[in-house]
Each structure stands twice: as structure tokens, then as C-alpha cells.
Amino acid sequence: MLLSWPWLGAAAANPDQAYARANAQARQLIQKTMQDRRIPGLQIAVVKDGKVVLSESYGLANVENRLPATRTTLFPINSATKSFTGVAMMQLAEAGLVDLDAPVSRYLDDLPEAWRAVRVRQLLAHTSGLPDILDEQGLLGGGTESNAWGLVKKLPMQAVIGERFEYNQVNYALLARIIARQSKMPYERYLAQRQFAVVGMPSTRFGDSYDLVAGAATIYSYFPRKTDDPGSAERLSHWFYDMTPSLWAGGGILTTADEVARWMVALSDGRLIGDASLHGMWTPEKLNDGSDGSWSAGWPVLGTAANPQRAGIGGARAAFIVYPNEKLAVIVLTNLVGANPERFIPQIAALYQPAQRAAAR
């Protein structure tokens, strides 16, 4: 099925009136969901027919100091950053600077021999079969980035290239290097110039829990601490995560739902990539046996062939889902690990589908 997003020219004549009821229902649903899931702070933005029809914040950005979450509070989106990296690669492909079907060895030197035949698009879709630089404890070896890179290059492949989906962070670290080499600027500067500045994302930046980021939400979880005895009472605690600069392309962005919504609108009106590139970016990568993989170029593949969905999901606390056939995108950012907004975003999205039919009458 052709994935398109022809938002412009399809907007309702009076979207404020048509979507007022959906917005009211979405507010009620979000507040109930926050209560049920015990989410401290949350931002939501809904993009419909090329317009932001809802953008609000709820709860607390910092619980212990009772600091409210506002529309300018920065939330980490972690692995949803990969969708931005996917757009960057499509931009470079449009400019003739990258061939997505080329082996990574065309653009990167000093790769292990087993890695050299991986195609660029297989990095984007996690079908490379490469080993991961992270384990359950963080960076391999528990030391520096350079030490972890030395270790991962000695590991065997996880799978035959193109055989199956195997999610890992090495794929996007290599994509960051390709972007830097082909654009002649660091990955984070490329995104700042070619995406954030283009669409109006002045607050968006890179970092992790250990970086000093003004206006960032504090991250929490209810998961047991390593020192807790079995059966210990559940309690809200700080959650810390380490995202080293070499891995930023796979999980380093902090942003707001407002700014992600602007980025979504820019995708819809062609300011970032053209229609053909958008279609290519959202087409599932084929495995060696001809079946569809679980990802396209930077985006998890959800939904069905009849009702396709593309997503960005990060840190078990941030997500956005695009419904191309509905000309709809829903963004939810939270500061609770385990909130998993990708699980309740479909309920929000469903509120806007009857609104579109009503607007068309």
C-alpha cells in the first residue's frame, strides 16, 4: 500500500468546531490515564490535517519540588530519536550524498570485516545483524565509550545480514558517523540546522540524566531498586539513564510535544523531505526471505496494510504514532518509565477519527 500524507488541501473547513468534542474527550482520557498509570507529568499534542489541534501539559515535571509540567518542559524521547535520524538519512539520500543500498564500508573506514557488507538501509531498519554495544548494565565492559567500541568490534554477528530484525544501538551510532562524514558536520549540528531550525524547534537539544539541561523534566519510575528486597513496597523513585554522545542518533533528543508536532507538520507539507522519500522512509524493510521487517527507515511499523501506522517509541515513557490514512499524529511525552504511551495513544487517536467524518459531512 502507498503510504502518503496529503494533509494540505484536506483540512476541515472549521477544524476548531469539528474537533472540539474530540479535544474535550482527549483531555478526559489523558487525565484518567495519568491517574490510572500514576504518571507524574505529561505533554500531549495532536496533529490533524496539517494543523496542531491540541497541545497541552498536565501534572508535575518535578514531584519533590512541585514544579508543574508546562508546554515548554523538555522531555527525553530516547529511542524515538531514531525517527529524526531516519529523516536525516532521507535528506542525504535526496541530496545524492548517501545511497541507502550501498554497503556501510563505502562511507566508513575501520570496520570489522563482517560489518562491511551491511547496507545503509539495514542499519535504519535493524536488520544488520550487528552486535550491540549495550548490555543490561549499559556500555559493554562498564567503562568508556572507546573501550566499549573496542569490545563490540570483537563480538560475533547476532544474525546473518538481512535475516531478521535485531534491535541495537550500534546501527544508529554508525548512521551518526555517516551523517557527520557526508554532511561535513557533527550529527547534532546537522539535525539542528536541517531539521530543528527549519521547523521551529528552538528548545530541542541532546543529553541525558547526567547533563545539566535547564527546564528538563525529572524522570521517575516505580520499578524496584537493585538494593530492594523481594516484596518491598512500591515507591516512586528517580530514574537515571546514560546516553553517551556517540549514541545520540539512537536516543539523545530532549524536546517538547509542541516542537515534535511542528516537526510532524513539516513532514506533511514537504519542508523536510519530498513525498517519494516519505513513502520510502515509511516502507517496511524486506528481510532476506521477502517478508516485511518490524521497522522501516527509523520508524517502528505498526498497524496493518489497510490501516498503516508509523511510530517513534522511546524509554518506555515517550511515543508518537502517525496514522497516514487518517492524516493524524498523536504525540505523548511523559516522565514515568513504564508509562508506555504507545499503548494508550490509539485510544486518543480513535477520538479524532469520527471527528474527521463529521467534518466531512
Side-chain angles (χ1 to χ4, degrees), residues 278-334:
L278 183 65
H279 173 237
M281 182 176 69
W282 281 346
T283 299
E285 178 67 15
K286 294 290 185 183
L287 301 178
N288 293 344
D289 64 4
S291 63
D292 286 346
S294 300
W295 274 49
S296 59
W299 299 71
V301 173
L302 307 179
T304 64
N307 183 26
Q309 302 165 22
R310 297 296 177 264
I313 301 170
R317 58 182 172 270
F320 44 80
I321 300 180
V322 180
Y323 300 80
N325 291 355
E326 304 288 344
K327 310 179 188 74
L328 172 67
V330 180
I331 303 113
V332 176
L333 311 183
T334 84

Side-chain angles (χ1 to χ4, degrees), residues 86-105:
V87 172
M89 293 306 299
M90 302 311 293
Q91 290 176 322
L92 293 177
E94 284 186 340
L97 296 174
V98 170
D99 179 354
L100 300 181
D101 289 308
V104 295
S105 56

Side-chain angles (χ1 to χ4, degrees), residues 31 57 59 63 70 82 107 122 126 195 197 215 326 342 344 358:
Q31 292 178 69
S57 60
V63 172
T70 71
K82 292 178 174 67
Y107 305 108
Q122 291 171 323
H126 295 294
Q195 295 188 41
E326 304 288 344
E342 69 277 8
F344 59 84

Side-chain angles (χ1 to χ4, degrees), residues 208-293:
D208 63 19
S209 294
Y210 297 93
D211 291 311
L212 305 180
V213 180
T218 304
I219 307 303
Y220 301 96
S221 88
Y222 287 101
F223 293 123
R225 302 181 191 179
K226 293 180 180 179
T227 55
D228 284 344
D229 290 325
S232 295
E234 198 173 58
R235 52 184 168 165
L236 187 69
S237 300
H238 286 177
W239 178 275
F240 297 96
Y241 71 99
D242 190 358
M243 184 62 61
T244 59
S246 70
L247 303 182
W248 278 352
I253 287 179
L254 292 94
T255 188
T256 70
D258 263 348
E259 295 196 1
V260 176
R262 293 174 202 158
W263 182 75
M264 290 287 187
V265 172
L267 272 181
S268 78
D269 64 21
R271 280 181 287 150
L272 292 174
I273 55 177
D275 287 344
S277 294
L278 183 65
H279 173 237
M281 182 176 69
W282 281 346
T283 299
E285 178 67 15
K286 294 290 185 183
L287 301 178
N288 293 344
D289 64 4
S291 63
D292 286 346

